[in-house]
Amino acid sequence: MKKTLVLAEKPSVGRDIANVLKCKNEKNGYIEGEKYVVTWALGHLVTLADPEGYNSKYKEWKMEDLPIIPKYLKTVVIKKSGKQYQKVKSLLERNDIEDIVIATDAGREGELVARWIIEKSGVNKPMKRLWISSNTDKAIKEGFNKLESSKKYDNLYNSALARAEADWIIGINATRALTVKYNAQLSCGRVQTPTLNMVMKREDEIKSFEPKKFYGIEIVVNKAGNSIKLNWKNNKGNTYLFNEESIDKIINKIKNNDAQVIKYSVKSKKTYSPQLYNLTELQRDANKIYGYSAKETLSTMQNLYERHKLLTYPRTDSRYISTDIVDTLKDRVKAVCIGDYRKVCNDILKRNIKISKSFVDNSKVIEHYAIIPTEERVFLNELTVKERNIYELVIKRFLSVLYDPEEYDETIMECEISGEKFNAKFKNIKKLGWKELYSNEENAYLSTVIFKEGEKLNVDKISKIEGKTNPPSHLNEATLLTMMEKNNLGTVATRADIIDKLFSTFLLEKKNNDILITQKGRQLLDLVPEKLKSAEMTSEWEKKLQKISESKLNKKVFMSEIKDYSKKAIEDIKKSESKFKHDNLTRNKCPECGHYMLEVNSKRGKMLVCENRECKNRKMISQITNARCPECHKKMELRGEGEKRVFVCSCGYREKLSAFNSRKKEEKNKASKKDINKYLKNQNKKENENFNNPFADALAKLKK
């Protein structure tokens, strides 16, 4: 009997698909059924060959060999996942396998994962594509009912291939050239270098910033015991001036005079919810609210998508859903009708959901729609703290879009004193609407006083307002993601990895939540060719990759441009007379090779790294932890090695690792009366929701 081979990207997804397709016979690396055989990659099983794969002379890095630009880039099997590749290859070659369904992640990288494996195997059988945005049984069934020919996705594959080849040609050549020229581990790339440059530019803006003093005027008028504050505004709309003398003249001019109301209007207004989440927007909010890195958020999203099946495909850049999703919205609302969201969910379910172009638009959905909950019922106690936080962010945004707008009266008041105008704006909320979900996030000023145009008011107080202009803020992961998106650097799927690589290569470091460029990063930007730092050029390349996926540009044309640029960049590096100097060299010698060690700040803490680029020796000095100081509750640092490690807090508190572990073990075995009483109270109040109680799981694990 002929069968179909289904190729998933990860084992967990493969098992979900196998379950839907009634494949029960699990073997080593695949699951077989009557009609289908389901197997999986482990992420990438195949990748582009290293330079030495073309010629053994490239094992040694030499300037005279650069640039390395093979006529055709070839692929190799990744050694650590070679067994699984051989398993997939043998299945592809089986005589009873007549066709293939590509079921890797539905996106550019997922397409590359599958096509490289199939091409490397040399198998040429008919292929279809499973394109789904969630891993629920329902989504998988529907996806298999509307499989399409893989040819429809050939251009997406060409775009993915062009991205991989461009990164190889530029990254390999520029990194080797810089490393050999300056005898230091200097990594650069098509997207990471302009991203690094944006961080440096922001720091330079902050350093060169000179604060300026500004001045304004605030008055307080009184009516029936109600005090109202108004601010001065000139005819150009400015509320502040940099000339203190001008402000003083206005204050003297209006002293001892009444204010006359010249404008008073009340208008009913509505505020609608922000748009649904795409990955970048979700990463921004998770960083601002919880301090999660872009990488942490994406990893958490992958769990919610693959393991828990609670959220749709994370690597999306769309903030809209398509019309075919509309009929599923009520089921998705029912799935999140729990706890604090029950009231809003029930209100939505009682009436017909109003569809709007603000969130339903087929033209704004290219590969995947926005991130929304699936129809799977959630059990919150099965989620980690991070998973729950990210999931609830998505729930709130999803329900907000479907719920009522906020309704309020906006009052605008303008007074005049001796020809000078003063303004105030008030907001009187009539209905919170979607902001019920964020009720703690906004404090509205409620105006209950009514004024009439022409009436005169006593001026109780005149105050001169003084301040200084502030420099731009340091970038954090949220604002860096915004700038990358604005400058079209990378994609939603790659930005987190790019930022992470800049940290791991010690070009960036963190101070609290601020991202700072290291001295190594600054020197690197002095050494790389000017165009490689350009966000504009990289943005143009990203647009061209998109055009390849849309069949508007030939891949060969793009790659010819990349090769020409790489040749020019290497020539510039060779001719450069710049110097590189390690500013973080210590007197500690590497135990492996005898070279001196460099002290660097990684995302995890301080570490020593061997200066010898061929030596991989690294050693942690101190590590930033999530452990809180029992005295001041700040995060503590872990210093030292082995059993002698010590937790140290900035307040001066110190605690040996062994003592810390003993204390934590003791705390874990105790449940406070407060926790137990709260748990019992919730049990009585929400007996149908005990699966969502945060204490249920904790109490179940306590030692009796």
Side-chain angles (χ1 to χ4, degrees), residues 87-131:
K87 179 59 64 181
V88 175
K89 183 175 183 287
S90 67
L91 292 170
L92 287 165
E93 291 172 337
R94 264 175 42 174
N95 291 330
D96 62 336
I97 298 295
E98 65 175 353
D99 59 357
I100 304 161
V101 171
I102 295 174
T104 46
D105 282 358
R108 194 164 79 178
E109 281 306 300
E111 201 67 27
L112 193 64
V113 167
R115 298 293 189 108
W116 268 352
I117 293 169
I118 295 165
E119 283 190 5
K120 191 70 180 168
S121 74
V123 171
N124 186 16
K125 293 180 180 180
M127 295 190 296
K128 291 183 179 178
R129 192 40 158 122
L130 174 71
W131 195 269

Side-chain angles (χ1 to χ4, degrees), residues 226-458:
N226 289 287
S227 295
I228 307 295
K229 291 179 182 178
L230 297 96
N231 290 93
W232 172 81
K233 184 185 284 188
N234 67 11
N235 292 331
K236 293 179 180 178
N238 299 322
T239 55
Y240 296 103
L241 297 178
F242 293 107
N243 188 317
E244 185 176 13
E245 190 179 331
S246 298
I247 289 293
D248 287 338
K249 283 180 181 178
I250 295 169
I251 290 172
N252 288 328
K253 178 182 172 183
I254 66 173
K255 267 181 184 175
N256 304 317
N257 290 318
D258 290 336
Q260 184 174 25
V261 180
I262 59 172
K263 183 179 179 183
Y264 183 80
S265 64
V266 181
K267 291 181 181 177
S268 293
K269 290 201 167 187
K270 294 180 180 180
T271 303
Y272 292 88
S273 162
Q275 290 178 290
L276 294 167
Y277 278 124
N278 62 13
L279 177 58
T280 302
E281 181 70 7
L282 184 57
Q283 286 170 321
R284 272 196 288 262
D285 275 5
N287 182 259
K288 284 189 284 190
I289 298 167
Y290 300 113
Y292 298 161
S293 70
K295 188 85 171 174
E296 280 178 297
T297 300
L298 179 54
S299 175
T300 305
M301 281 292 300
Q302 282 295 130
N303 277 344
L304 290 164
Y305 165 66
E306 289 175 9
R307 183 179 160 209
H308 300 291
K309 306 183 190 67
L310 294 174
L311 295 182
T312 55
Y313 186 68
R315 291 178 169 90
T316 175
D317 60 0
S318 179
R319 303 188 70 179
Y320 296 82
I321 60 171
S322 47
T323 49
D324 60 325
I325 303 301
V326 171
D327 287 344
T328 71
L329 292 178
K330 281 204 169 184
D331 285 337
R332 295 172 196 265
V333 174
K334 287 175 185 174
V336 300
C337 190
I338 55 170
D340 295 337
Y341 308 107
R342 192 177 290 279
K343 178 189 175 297
V344 171
C345 288
N346 285 334
D347 285 350
I348 293 170
L349 293 169
K350 281 175 189 173
R351 55 201 183 204
N352 290 326
I353 293 173
K354 292 178 183 176
I355 303 308
S356 159
K357 272 276 187 182
S358 65
F359 70 97
V360 181
D361 190 339
N362 289 347
S363 68
K364 301 285 178 68
V365 180
I366 298 171
E367 290 182 8
H368 291 280
Y369 50 82
I371 298 166
I372 58 175
T374 65
E375 301 95 324
E376 291 284 308
R377 180 77 174 178
V378 60
F379 292 84
L380 290 179
N381 69 327
E382 293 181 359
L383 305 182
T384 65
V385 172
K386 276 184 190 172
E387 287 168 349
R388 181 168 178 163
N389 287 340
I390 296 296
Y391 182 63
E392 293 202 52
L393 281 178
V394 178
I395 290 177
K396 285 186 191 179
R397 185 60 63 89
F398 172 66
L399 295 177
S400 295
V401 166
L402 302 179
Y403 204 43
D404 302 323
E406 176 200 32
E407 295 179 22
Y408 62 95
D409 286 336
E410 183 182 77
T411 302
I412 295 174
M413 180 178 174
E414 190 173 306
C415 293
E416 189 175 82
I417 312 174
S418 305
E420 298 294 334
K421 291 185 172 61
F422 293 82
N423 298 74
K425 190 184 283 186
F426 314 116
K427 183 176 180 179
N428 190 357
I429 296 174
K430 296 189 290 185
K431 182 180 179 181
L432 270 174
W434 63 271
K435 287 194 175 178
E436 281 183 38
L437 293 155
Y438 303 88
S439 56
N440 295 326
E441 295 185 12
E442 176 163 323
N443 294 315
Y445 181 91
L446 304 181
S447 169
T448 55
V449 187
I450 297 172
F451 296 87
K452 291 180 182 178
E453 291 183 3
E455 75 173 295
K456 292 194 174 182
L457 303 167
N458 290 327

Side-chain angles (χ1 to χ4, degrees), residues 7 150 153 175 183 199 202 215 220 238 241 261 273 294 338 340 355 401 414 484 518 532 541 550 552 554 611 674:
L7 176 58
S150 65
Y153 300 92
T175 296
N183 192 29
V199 177
R202 174 58 64 89
Y215 308 89
V220 178
N238 299 322
L241 297 178
V261 180
S273 162
I338 55 170
D340 295 337
I355 303 308
V401 166
E414 190 173 306
M484 291 177 77
T518 63
L532 194 52
W541 284 341
E550 295 167 357
K552 294 176 182 176
N554 189 294
E611 68 164 334
K674 183 180 175 183

Side-chain angles (χ1 to χ4, degrees), residues 410-565:
E410 183 182 77
T411 302
I412 295 174
M413 180 178 174
E414 190 173 306
C415 293
E416 189 175 82
I417 312 174
S418 305
E420 298 294 334
K421 291 185 172 61
F422 293 82
N423 298 74
K425 190 184 283 186
F426 314 116
K427 183 176 180 179
N428 190 357
I429 296 174
K430 296 189 290 185
K431 182 180 179 181
L432 270 174
W434 63 271
K435 287 194 175 178
E436 281 183 38
L437 293 155
Y438 303 88
S439 56
N440 295 326
E441 295 185 12
E442 176 163 323
N443 294 315
Y445 181 91
L446 304 181
S447 169
T448 55
V449 187
I450 297 172
F451 296 87
K452 291 180 182 178
E453 291 183 3
E455 75 173 295
K456 292 194 174 182
L457 303 167
N458 290 327
V459 179
D460 286 353
K461 189 178 180 183
I462 300 173
S463 304
K464 180 163 69 175
I465 306 298
E466 296 184 20
K468 284 184 180 179
T469 53
N470 292 318
S473 300
H474 281 286
L475 292 173
N476 53 43
E477 288 213 26
T479 51
L480 182 55
L481 283 166
T482 300
M483 289 185 72
M484 291 177 77
E485 183 180 49
K486 185 179 176 183
N487 287 280
N488 203 24
L489 293 177
T491 66
V492 288
T494 61
R495 287 178 191 129
D497 282 332
I498 290 160
I499 294 171
D500 208 54
K501 187 172 182 182
L502 288 167
F503 281 115
S504 65
T505 50
F506 314 115
L507 300 172
L508 291 180
E509 62 185 13
K510 266 192 178 181
K511 188 175 182 181
N512 298 321
N513 206 31
D514 293 339
I515 294 176
L516 307 174
I517 188 168
T518 63
Q519 194 58 35
K520 179 183 178 181
R522 279 189 174 276
Q523 288 192 78
L524 174 65
L525 290 173
D526 285 338
L527 304 176
V528 299
E530 199 61 38
K531 276 193 174 181
L532 194 52
K533 298 185 278 189
S534 165
E536 290 76 19
M537 185 178 73
T538 305
S539 174
E540 280 303 309
W541 284 341
E542 289 292 345
K543 288 173 185 173
K544 286 175 182 177
L545 288 171
Q546 183 60 39
K547 284 183 178 179
I548 293 170
S549 70
E550 295 167 357
S551 194
K552 294 176 182 176
L553 179 67
N554 189 294
K555 172 180 173 282
K556 289 181 181 177
V557 174
F558 173 75
M559 290 309 302
S560 177
E561 179 186 340
I562 291 292
K563 289 173 183 177
D564 288 344
Y565 171 74

